[in-house]
Amino acid sequence: VAYADLAADNLTQTLDAHGESRAFRGIRQQLHWHEKELYRFAATPDIMNGAAWRKGFAEVAERGLVFELQLFTSQFADGARLAKDFPHAIIVLEHAGMREDDSPAGRTAWAEGLKRLAENANVSTKLSGLGTFVQRCDAASIADIMHQTVEIFGAERCMFGSNFPIEKLWTSYADLLNGHRVAAAHYCEPERRAIFHDTAARIYRL
């Protein structure tokens, strides 16, 4: 998965160049904007609404490439609209929507926003980065986010992701993987296989 600015005039050339690699499967352009500057990676919260950007998104979709959508809760409505407007696009929501607000109101807004995104069959999500905002490998937090996300999307649209090397700042890969395996233990074997293999293999053509 490579980077490209979807609003750039030279997007076609950039995608062609990335396509020279047989491993090329998709694009991630960080769109997540937050009122807290520490969490802000985009210049504005609504980049995905721009006409030039959407034209580029259409090209990504037409090529059958995955677009990895990284958003905060406040941007979920725009993300759901994007998915609805481009039903043939392959969209993967990063980090289960990055639930950074663990207050009751924040948790509710996150879950309701996920439901809006999940209404679009072309959106799947990664169970990754679940320790980013607590900065630890917290089994209870992993289980809480995983169980809510899988309930909303279904296991067939969820996939494990390590978010390494970022998570390495506070945990080991073994502990991170074990935390997700423990959280997924109560699912049936086909659901666990979807989360840890089948969904990613299908979407990324592995």
Side-chain angles (χ1 to χ4, degrees), residues 57 83 137 165 185 189 194:
F57 185 81
C137 186
E189 194 278 334

Side-chain angles (χ1 to χ4, degrees), residues 31-200:
L31 305 179
H32 49 304
W33 184 96
H34 198 281
E35 60 184 10
K36 294 182 181 178
E37 188 174 355
L38 179 64
Y39 297 165
R40 191 179 305 159
F41 280 78
T44 65
D46 56 353
I47 290 173
M48 75 192 89
N49 296 335
W53 192 92
R54 282 182 153 235
K55 180 181 177 182
F57 185 81
E59 180 172 353
V60 169
E62 287 164 5
R63 289 174 180 246
L65 296 169
V66 175
F67 184 77
E68 295 192 341
L69 185 65
Q70 193 163 347
L71 303 174
F72 282 112
T73 302
S74 62
Q75 300 170 289
F76 281 3
D78 284 344
R81 190 178 308 111
L82 180 71
K84 184 177 181 179
D85 290 346
F86 296 88
H88 300 301
I90 306 167
I91 299 172
V92 173
L93 178 69
E94 294 297 288
H95 309 327
M98 300 197 300
R99 192 181 76 186
E100 96 292 349
D101 183 353
D102 206 35
S103 70
R107 292 163 65 93
T108 297
W110 167 80
E112 292 302 315
L114 279 190
K115 290 175 185 176
R116 292 186 65 178
L117 284 160
E119 288 173 357
N120 301 281
N122 57 332
V123 181
S124 300
T125 190
K126 283 185 186 177
L127 300 168
S128 58
L130 306 188
T132 298
F133 296 100
V134 295
Q135 297 193 358
R136 63 182 185 276
C137 186
D138 187 307
S141 179
I142 290 171
D144 178 42
I145 295 173
M146 177 186 289
H147 295 165
Q148 290 191 67
T149 304
V150 173
E151 182 179 358
I152 291 168
F153 277 91
E156 71 282 357
R157 287 200 282 158
C158 291
M159 68 189 88
F160 166 75
S162 71
N163 199 37
F164 257 54
I166 303 301
E167 304 293 310
K168 191 176 181 180
L169 291 169
W170 45 79
T171 190
S172 68
Y173 192 93
D175 287 346
L176 180 73
L177 181 57
N178 184 62
H180 285 75
R181 282 178 169 164
V182 169
H186 77 285
Y187 296 124
C188 66
E189 194 278 334
E191 290 173 321
R192 293 195 301 271
R193 183 173 175 83
I195 291 169
F196 290 106
H197 177 273
D198 290 354
T199 302

